[in-house]
Every structure is written in structure tokens, then in C-alpha cells.
């Protein structure tokens, strides 16, 4: 089995796994426009993941596909929030906003500080893509939070269910940005000091990742060494 | 993709329509002038277009399902990205086409309702299942390929908005077709299992693809009026022949066998001679008795119903916001 260690793994795996989850929405979205938008975001995230996995692969002597398809669940370092099942549209959009805000900070830091030119290139492109993703997710969080009674109830439920999974992505800037977005949505941010799930940094995951990877990796693993 | 030849009888255009306007309309169509939304047009022309464009739009939307079925199992990240882009393109095609239909005085909601209630049809090809990864290749190569044969002539359709939507769509469909062929090429040059997968996909998709062109001209119930109106440019059998002539050499190049014992090249005519599709199967799938008809419709209805609260919330929010601004 393939393994790799890199500081970039949480970011690369986070984008890969979240892209996979978003791709599950295709043909299931509430409107055709949303099928297109979610597909766009999934594609951007996949492109970002690939950019980083290629760098990590070059360092480790493996390909992006070996990293994606031949690592075990416990080798993945994505934030747990990315692997959670999609739930309803409110859950997907709240999660997307939380992750988009995290990514905005991560990408801009990486663009400013990465020594590797390829990594900086990925980050610079991602900053532009992320700005669009963030507008999209925050506008939905606002519309759903401040929409109907049902959408508001669903958005509150989603925010609460996601809250323990913020541990790996939250810092002061993140809380401030989330607070502002939720306030605009007429929602209240849960307490900053509420409990959090532990992180994936030592290979800890939810039960969901195993199933996600079992599906994602099934065909590649059935034909090891094949070219597609 | 995928206007399958949709042959239904149109009502006579010579009803209450004013004879002079009709004569002028016929002249313009004959002169290859484009008819635009605000121009006068016979009611039957409008009706035919609404039916054809919306069936095409529904096909794009339903067509997302069989390919979406492999998004989460694509065997490489590159293939996953390409497939994701393709499924997304199909949603975009659906949107352009609903917009083109709306220029004829019907709303997207009404059209979607016709799909969900089963009043409107979509291309039967999507009632077949995608069982292996090779089906992503076969669909791109054959189904998008057949769609292009059907649709390139529609780029010259007499109705402007439909023709223009089709120009954009055809560009993307030909991209899909090349990607599908490339999947087939990679599989056919791959391991024995991959080759077998490619052959199996061709075996399953070949005949349904030929059926995409619709029944024989002789048993086709309309078409002639659509030809005069320049909505249709070639007959079903002409298009089917073009498709076979273009595709068989590609199968040869792949080293795959077209599943037709009667297939042979006729040097005299310069065309391939081929066997008869199973028209009973065609009729059965059209009746709703295909392998996936119920699944596709149930999926579409579920997605639509599940999204209702989201659409309502968006409307409620917009209304509140508007009220606040006013
Ligand atoms: Fe299409
Ligand atoms: Fe297509």
C-alpha cells in the first residue's frame, strides 16, 4: 500500500474528499443551476487536490492516482468535516461555507509563504476559485437561514450538527468570518468553546470515510497496474 | 445530447392562420431566413418546436443519471474530472434548451412538470443501465456520437434560438464524443479484462444507439412537415446510415467487433450494409418497459421533491429582501 507524509496532505485530502462528496449531488440538486454550480465547485476542488497530490507524489515517488486510490482510510488526513455524508442541502451548504472560509485562509497563506513554485501556483489559482465558492455558499446560508421556517430550522440543525467538526479548521479569524456570515443569515453561531471532535492528524476518522473510499477506490483496486 | 428522432404527427398548419402571413412565413423558411421569437409563426410550428426542444432538454437532464452513476467510481483522478465536467455540461445543455423553449411562450416549470408527470418523453437511450466503466466510453463514443449526427443539422434549424443553442451544444458534444472514444481506445489497448469490458459495452450500446435515430422512414409518422419547416434536414434512415458509416471504421481501429452478423461494407455504394435493430425492444422501452425507465423517473421526481423546500426558501428570501428594499 502507498503512504506519504506531507504538510500539504490535510489540504490535498480535504479538497479531494470534499470534491467527492459534492460530486454525489450531480443530478440530485434542488435546481439545474445548482447541479451546475456544485459540479463547478467539485471540479475546482478536484483540480486543487490534484495540483497538490502531484507535488506530494513527486516528493514521494508515487502518482496522484496511487495516492488517491491506494492509500488506506487511516492514511488520509482530510479534516473530518469533509468526509461527512452530504445530508440535506442546508447541511451541504453550511459545511461548504465552513470549509470555504478555512480554505480562504489556508490558500492565501500558502500563496504568500510556500517555497515550492508549483504549490504557489496551485494556491494562487485556488484563491480566485475559492472567492466564488465562498460567495456561493454564504449566499445560500443567508437565503436558507433567512428564508422559510423550514429552511431556517434545517439550517440551524445543520450548523449544530457540524459544529463539533470545526476543530481542525477553526481559528479566531475563522470564527469571526463564520459569525459574520451566520449573523447575516439571522442565525446565532454556537459557542466558540463548545466541544470538538478530535482531528484526523493521527489517522483518526469517522466511519464514513471507509465507505466513501471503498466506493471511490473499488474500480482502480480491482485492476491494479491498469491504465485508464 | 440526444434528440432522438421524435416522430409524431403535427396538426395541419393550415387552420385559422392567416393565409398571407403563412405564405410569408413559408417564403422566409424556404429562403433560409431565421424565424425569431417575436415573428409570426404557425401554431403547429410553435407546437412542434416546443415538443422537440423540450424533449431534447429533458433528455439532457435525465442523461445526467447514467453517467453520474460512475462519478464516484471513476478509476483515475483525470477521468473523474473529465466525467464531472461532462455531466455538468449536460445540465448546461438542459438549461440552454429550456431557455430556447421558453422563447416560444411556455415556462420551464410547465415543461419540467410535463416531464415529471410522464406527459413528455426523453430519449430512450437513457433507459439503459451503465454497468461498467467502459459504458462511460461507449456512451461518449456512440451516444454522443449519434446525438451529434442528429444535432449538427439542427444548427441550421429555421428557428433562431434553437439553432444558436445547438451550435454551442454541438461543440461540447463533439468534445464528449472524442473523450468517450479515448476511453474506449485506452481500454482496448489495456489488459485483457479492460478489452473485454470495452467489447461488452459496445455489445450493449450498439443497437440502442442505432435506435436513437428513430423508426425507419417508411414507418415514420412525421418528418415531412419538419423537413419543409427546416427543423429537420435529413431523414432517420439517412442519419442512421451516416452514423454506421462513420462508426464502424472506428470500431475496427479499436479492434472491437460490432455485434451485427449482417454488417459488411458494400464497395458499390460506398456504404455499410447492416442488420435490423430490434424494433419490438424499441417500442417496449418507449412504452416505459425499459430496464431503467422507472428508476430514472423516480430519481428525477425525488430530486425535484427533495429540492422543493430549497426553492421555496430562495423565493421567500427574495420576496422579503424585495419588500425590505421597496
Ligand atoms: Fe448534451
Ligand atoms: Fe454529451
Amino acid at each position: 500500500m502507498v503512504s506519504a507524509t506531507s504538510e500539504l496532505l490535510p489540504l490535498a485530502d480535504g479538497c479531494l474528499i470534499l470534491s467527492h462528496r459534492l460530486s454525489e449531488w450531480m443530478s440530485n440538486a434542488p435546481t439545474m443551476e445548482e447541479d451546475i454550480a456544485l459540479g463547478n465547485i467539485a471540479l475546482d476542488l478536484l483540480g486543487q487536490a490534484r495540483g497538490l497530490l502531484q507535488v506530494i507524489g513527486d516528493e514521494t515517488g508515487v502518482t496522484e492516482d496511487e495516492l488517491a486510490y491506494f492509500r488506506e482510510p487511516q492514511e488520509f488526513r482530510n479534516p473530518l468535516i469533509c468526509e461527512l455524508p452530504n445530508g440535506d442541502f442546508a447541511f451541504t451548504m453550511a459545511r461548504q461555507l465552513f470549509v470555504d472560509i478555512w480554505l480562504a485562509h489556508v490558500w492565501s497563506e500558502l500563496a504568500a509563504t510556500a517555497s515550492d513554485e508549483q504549490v504557489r501556483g496551485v494556491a494562487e489559482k485556488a484563491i480566485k476559485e475559492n472567492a466564488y465558492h465562498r460567495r456561493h455558499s454564504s449566499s445560500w446560508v443567508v437565503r436558507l437561514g433567512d428564508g422559510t421556517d423550514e429552511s431556517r430550522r434545517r439550517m440551524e440543525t445543520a450548523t449544530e450538527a457540524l459544529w463539533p467538526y470545526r476543530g481542525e479548521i477553526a481559528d479566531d479569524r475563522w470564527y469571526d468570518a463564520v459569525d459574520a456570515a451566520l449573523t447575516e443569515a439571522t442565525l446565532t453561531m454556537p459557542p466558540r468553546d463548545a466541544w470538538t471532535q478530535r482531528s484526523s492528524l493521527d489517522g483518526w476518522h469517522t466511519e464514513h470515510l471507509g465507505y466513501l473510499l471503498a466506493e471511490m477506490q473499488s474500480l482502480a483496486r480491482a485492476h491494479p497496474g491498469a491504465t485508464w | 445530447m440526444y434528440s432522438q428522432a421524435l416522430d409524431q404527427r403535427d396538426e395541419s398548419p393550415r387552420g385559422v392562420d392567416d393565409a398571407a402571413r403563412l405564405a410569408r412565413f413559408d417564403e422566409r423558411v424556404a429562403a433560409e431566413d431565421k424565424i425569431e421569437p417575436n415573428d409570426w409563426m404557425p401554431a403547429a410550428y410553435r407546437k412542434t418546436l416546443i415538443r422537440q426542444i423540450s424533449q431534447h432538454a429533458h433528455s439532457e437532464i435525465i442523461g445526467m443519471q447514467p453517467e453520474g452513476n460512475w462519478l464516484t467510481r471513476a478509476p483515475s483522478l483525470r477521468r473523474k474530472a473529465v466525467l464531472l465536467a461532462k455531466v455538468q455540461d449536460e445540465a448546461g445543455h438542459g438549461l440552454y434548451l429550456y431557455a430556447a423553449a421558453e422563447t416560444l411562450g411556455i415556462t420551464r416549470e410547465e415543461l419540467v412538470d410535463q416531464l415529471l408527470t410522464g406527459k413528455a418523453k426523453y430519449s430512450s437511450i437513457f433507459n439503459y443501465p451503465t454497468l461498467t466503466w467502459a459504458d462511460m466510453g461507449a456512451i461518449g463514443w456512440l451516444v454522443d456520437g449519434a446525438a451529434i449526427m442528429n444535432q449538427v443539422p439542427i444548427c441550421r434549424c429555421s428557428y433562431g434560438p434553437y439553432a444558436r443553442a445547438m451550435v454551442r451544444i454541438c461543440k461540447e458534444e463533439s468534445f464528449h464524443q472524442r473523450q468517450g472514444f479515448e476511453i474506449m481506445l485506452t481500454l482496448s489497448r489495456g489488459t485483457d479484462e479492460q478489452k473485454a469490458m470495452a467489447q461488452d459495452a459496445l455489445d450493449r450500446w450498439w443497437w440502442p444507439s442505432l435506435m436513437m435515430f428513430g423508426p425507419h422512414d417508411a414507418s415514420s409518422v412525421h418528418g415531412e412537415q419538419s423537413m419543409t419547416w427546416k427543423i429537420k434536414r435529413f431523414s432517420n434512415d439517412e442519419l442512421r446510415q451516416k452514423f454506421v458509416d462513420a462508426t464502424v471504421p472506428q470500431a475496427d481501429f479499436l479492434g472491437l467487433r460490432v455485434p451485427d452478423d449482417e454488417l459488411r461494407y458494400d464497395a458499390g455504394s460506398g456504404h455499410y450494409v447492416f442488420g435490423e435493430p430490434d424494433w419490438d425492444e424499441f417500442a417496449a422501452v418507449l412504452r416505459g418497459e425499459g430496464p431503467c425507465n422507472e428508476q430514472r423517473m423516480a430519481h428525477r421526481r425525488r430530486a425535484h421533491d427533495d429540492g422543493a423546500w430549497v426553492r421555496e426558501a430562495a423565493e421567500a428570501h427574495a420576496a422579503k429582501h424585495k419588500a425590505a428594499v421597496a
Side-chain angles (χ1 to χ4, degrees):
Chain A
M1 281 302 132
V2 176
S3 77
T5 47
S6 161
E7 284 179 353
L8 295 172
L9 265 187
L11 184 55
D13 287 346
C15 293
L16 179 68
I17 299 299
L18 186 59
S19 165
H20 187 93
R21 283 299 187 208
L22 290 179
S23 77
E24 295 172 357
W25 273 102
M26 295 305 284
S27 83
N28 290 298
T31 64
M32 288 167 228
E33 285 82 355
E34 270 317 293
D35 269 317
I36 295 174
L38 294 172
N40 249 325
I41 298 166
L43 262 174
D44 287 344
L45 289 167
L46 180 56
Q48 294 159 8
R50 291 180 67 194
L52 296 180
L53 288 172
Q54 284 159 14
V55 172
I56 298 167
D58 287 347
E59 285 166 4
T60 341
V62 290
T63 65
E64 56 170 7
D65 286 334
E66 286 171 311
L67 287 170
Y69 292 97
F70 291 91
R71 274 183 300 156
E72 293 297 300
Q74 282 168 300
E75 303 277 342
F76 279 74
R77 291 294 176 270
N78 56 281
L80 300 183
I81 194 170
C82 299
E83 73 199 40
L84 298 176
N86 285 334
D88 63 9
F89 190 70
F91 187 92
T92 292
M93 281 302 116
R95 174 181 59 193
Q96 194 63 38
L97 177 67
F98 289 180
V99 177
D100 286 342
I101 290 174
W102 169 63
L103 286 173
H105 300 156
V106 174
W107 288 126
S108 58
E109 236 166 71
L110 209 54
T113 61
S115 52
D116 186 305
E117 198 183 326
Q118 212 178 326
V119 173
R120 275 203 312 280
V122 174
E124 277 156 16
K125 183 159 181 275
I127 287 171
K128 291 182 203 129
E129 294 165 343
N130 174 268
Y132 154 71
H133 302 170
R134 200 169 153 178
R135 272 200 306 281
H136 175 262
S137 58
S138 60
S139 88
W140 271 114
V141 167
V142 169
R143 277 183 276 176
L144 297 179
D146 186 22
T148 61
D149 290 346
E150 180 180 9
S151 70
R152 180 183 182 78
R153 178 180 56 71
R154 285 176 183 265
M155 192 47 79
E156 282 168 347
T157 307
T159 310
E160 233 149 79
L162 285 160
W163 201 242
Y165 292 93
R166 74 196 181 285
E168 296 158 284
I169 59 174
D171 59 14
D172 286 343
R173 273 193 308 172
W174 186 87
Y175 282 117
D176 293 345
V178 169
D179 199 5
L182 293 181
T183 303
E184 200 194 335
T186 70
L187 299 166
T188 308
M189 187 173 82
R192 296 187 186 210
D193 58 0
W195 74 285
T196 61
Q197 293 278 358
R198 55 177 288 190
S199 88
S200 70
L201 282 183
D202 58 358
W204 178 268
H205 281 281
T206 68
E207 289 180 347
H208 307 296
L209 183 66
Y211 290 97
L212 183 155
L213 293 178
E215 184 173 337
M216 186 179 108
Q217 297 175 334
S218 58
L219 179 57
R221 288 191 178 204
H223 303 267
T227 305
W228 300 97
Chain B
M1 336 181 165
Y2 334 113
S3 55
Q4 113 186 314
L6 300 155
D7 294 276
Q8 290 154 44
R9 190 177 301 282
D10 286 296
E11 288 133 48
S12 162
R14 327 255 156 199
V16 291
D17 292 324
D18 169 64
R21 285 188 299 181
L22 186 57
R24 172 81 191 114
F25 172 86
D26 286 342
E27 254 169 53
R28 288 187 59 194
V29 169
E32 301 285 337
D33 223 7
K34 288 279 178 265
I35 305 300
E36 295 299 334
N38 294 327
D39 296 344
W40 183 89
M41 63 187 85
Y45 175 84
R46 184 184 300 275
K47 199 175 162 197
T48 299
L49 277 170
I50 289 177
R51 189 189 59 230
Q52 183 171 331
I53 298 172
S54 64
Q55 288 184 345
H56 188 172
H58 302 327
S59 303
E60 300 282 357
I61 296 302
I62 296 290
M64 294 170 72
Q65 292 180 36
E67 292 186 277
N69 183 38
W70 281 89
L71 274 174
T72 54
R73 291 175 289 171
S76 76
L77 297 182
R78 183 172 77 88
R79 292 292 182 200
K80 191 180 170 101
V82 169
L83 184 59
L84 194 45
K86 184 184 183 201
V87 177
Q88 196 204 17
D89 282 349
E90 307 305 1
H93 297 171
L95 270 185
Y96 310 151
L97 287 162
Y98 284 121
E102 281 187 307
T103 64
L104 291 157
I106 189 162
T107 65
R108 198 213 289 185
E109 288 68 32
E110 290 173 274
L111 295 170
V112 167
D113 194 60
Q114 290 175 358
L115 172 66
L116 296 177
T117 56
K119 198 181 153 217
K121 298 269 179 241
Y122 57 87
S123 180
S124 283
I125 193 78
F126 298 121
N127 290 318
Y128 290 86
T130 53
L131 301 178
T132 74
W133 171 253
D135 292 15
M136 298 304 98
I139 287 184
W141 173 39
L142 300 174
V143 176
D144 286 86
I148 292 165
M149 288 289 171
N150 269 332
Q151 288 170 199
V152 164
I154 306 176
C155 297
R156 295 187 290 126
C157 167
S158 57
Y159 188 58
Y162 191 23
R164 289 188 290 273
M166 211 44 89
V167 169
R168 190 163 169 189
I169 289 172
C170 280
K171 271 188 203 146
E172 293 180 351
E173 302 298 13
S174 55
F175 197 51
H176 298 168
Q177 199 266 349
R178 283 202 298 278
Q179 288 163 346
F181 185 76
E182 207 238 315
I183 290 177
M184 294 303 274
L185 184 62
T186 307
L187 293 175
S188 66
R189 302 285 185 269
T191 64
D192 289 347
E193 287 95 338
Q194 287 176 305
K195 273 178 229 167
M197 206 188 273
Q199 181 64 56
D200 166 64
L202 174 55
D203 290 346
R204 283 181 292 106
W205 290 96
W206 175 255
W207 292 110
S209 298
L210 292 196
M211 295 180 204
M212 281 177 74
F213 297 95
H216 282 306
D217 298 344
S219 53
S220 167
V221 288
H222 98 162
E224 218 157 288
Q225 178 66 80
S226 281
M227 291 274 211
T228 326
W229 277 338
K230 309 228 164 130
I231 295 173
K232 206 174 155 80
R233 299 269 176 175
F234 298 98
S235 77
N236 296 353
D237 285 328
E238 283 170 331
L239 290 166
R240 190 168 11 248
Q241 183 70 53
K242 270 166 93 118
F243 175 76
V244 172
D245 288 344
T247 309
V248 172
Q250 295 169 353
D252 291 343
F253 181 79
L254 293 172
L256 299 176
R257 184 186 169 273
V258 173
D260 179 354
D261 292 334
E262 294 169 44
L263 184 74
R264 63 182 172 78
Y265 184 67
D266 177 51
S269 66
H271 293 296
Y272 284 88
V273 176
F274 54 98
E276 205 50 44
D278 180 349
W279 294 112
D280 291 339
E281 177 181 314
F282 178 74
V285 178
L286 265 185
R287 277 198 308 273
E289 297 167 11
C292 298
N293 298 55
E294 282 175 28
Q295 182 189 333
R296 302 288 184 240
M297 287 303 294
H299 180 128
R300 195 64 239 132
R301 289 193 189 106
R302 179 189 42 71
H304 187 80
D305 293 348
D306 285 355
W309 70 269
V310 178
R311 297 189 298 273
E312 280 159 23
E315 268 174 44
H317 178 81
K320 271 190 227 181
H321 187 70
K322 209 173 151 196
V325 169

